[in-house]
Amino acid sequence: MKLKNKIIDTREKVFMVALEEFATKGFKEVITREITRKAGVNLSSIKYYFGDKEGLYRAVYEEPMLEHNKKMQSIGLDEEKSLEDNIRSLLFTMIEPLRESKEMEWCMTLHLRETIEKTGLVEDSKDEFKKIIDNIALFIRREIPKINDQTLTRLVFSIISQPIFMFIGKDLIDKIDKDLLGSKSQIDAWINKSVFYALKMIELEKNFA
């Protein structure tokens, strides 16, 4: 039993250090020797548990987000809900990892980084965000059927830019005001404001359509 716990503990140490390293530095800049040094384990631990650097990257990229990705994929346009409720449901689900833990925050940051700095080691992460984009576009088209495609795309990205920046810009946000995202209630307050801003942007575009 003690041996089993030691194995789990060693893998977890490597996993958590690697998650932070990959999320903050990107795949190319991460050195496996530095991961094992910070984790306080032997360099051979990576080979034993993950095979190599690429295997380690796949593990930290895929394992923590499985449940969240299922939730994101299950969200769609609910015809019985208002525009506000549909957008709130999507944005709150999108930001859920930030509310859960620092580790989940790193996971989301890593997925956003993979979208920009493609490694080719994992399934294309753009599909995860395309689902979000497509859903918001559906919400808007229901409200503004005549909106042109370019205006719709700009509006969609304007709406999702706030929750995305809460992940990729959190370090900067914390330096400016550590209380803005310092608790679940503060995160919820920001997202509620994001929903309000989204509705106002859609309302303005509706007036121009």
Side-chain angles (χ1 to χ4, degrees):
M1 186 67 179
K2 287 184 179 180
L3 178 60
K4 184 178 179 181
N5 287 339
K6 183 177 180 181
I7 289 173
I8 294 172
D9 186 51
T10 301
R11 187 185 190 278
E12 185 72 8
K13 284 179 180 178
V14 174
F15 189 98
M16 295 309 298
V17 172
L19 175 57
E20 181 178 4
E21 290 285 295
F22 285 130
T24 55
K25 297 178 181 178
F27 179 78
K28 290 182 179 179
E29 299 301 318
V30 170
I31 300 171
T32 52
R33 190 177 296 277
E34 182 66 9
I35 290 175
T36 53
R37 185 191 68 79
K38 289 184 176 181
V41 300
N42 295 327
L43 186 60
S44 60
S45 297
I46 290 179
K47 183 176 182 180
Y48 182 79
Y49 295 111
F50 304 100
D52 53 20
K53 181 180 176 181
E54 288 80 2
L56 177 57
Y57 182 84
R58 291 189 190 95
V60 300
Y61 181 89
E62 294 169 356
E63 290 179 19
M65 293 292 286
L66 289 175
E67 193 61 35
H68 181 255
N69 288 340
K70 288 179 183 178
K71 291 180 181 178
M72 289 305 307
Q73 291 299 315
S74 68
I75 293 178
L77 175 63
D78 189 333
E79 297 284 356
E80 296 183 359
K81 287 184 178 180
S82 66
L83 173 66
E84 179 177 349
D85 287 340
N86 273 307
I87 290 179
R88 177 172 282 107
S89 176
L90 189 146
L91 294 188
F92 265 92
T93 303
M94 184 178 176
I95 209 69
E96 190 176 279
L98 192 62
R99 300 175 75 254
E100 291 183 5
S101 65
K102 186 67 177 178
E103 290 74 30
M104 287 303 293
E105 176 191 329
W106 288 331
C107 291
M108 193 66 174
T109 301
L110 181 58
H111 277 237
L112 289 166
R113 181 184 285 278
E114 177 67 27
T115 303
I116 301 168
E117 304 170 5
K118 299 185 187 304
T119 63
L121 298 172
V122 294
E123 186 176 343
D124 198 338
S125 61
K126 71 180 181 182
D127 291 339
E128 300 168 19
F129 298 101
K130 189 176 185 302
K131 178 72 173 180
I132 298 170
I133 292 166
D134 289 346
N135 275 323
I136 295 180
L138 280 174
F139 304 160
I140 296 171
R141 279 213 181 275
R142 188 175 69 163
E143 295 294 314
I144 319 175
K146 294 182 179 180
I147 190 169
N148 70 62
D149 291 342
Q150 285 193 335
T151 300
L152 175 62
T153 301
R154 282 194 294 267
L155 184 52
V156 169
F157 278 108
S158 295
I159 290 170
I160 67 172
S161 62
Q162 286 201 69
I164 287 177
F165 187 73
M166 290 169 73
F167 285 102
I168 64 176
K170 190 173 186 301
D171 288 343
L172 176 61
I173 294 168
D174 288 343
K175 287 178 182 177
I176 294 172
D177 186 341
K178 61 182 178 60
D179 293 327
L180 277 175
L181 295 175
S183 66
K184 289 183 179 180
S185 62
Q186 290 290 355
I187 293 169
D188 290 350
W190 189 322
I191 288 297
N192 277 316
K193 281 293 184 181
S194 296
V195 174
F196 172 78
Y197 300 146
L199 294 172
K200 288 300 179 183
M201 285 190 285
I202 294 169
E203 182 182 326
L204 285 170
E205 290 295 347
K206 192 173 185 178
N207 292 335
F208 289 124

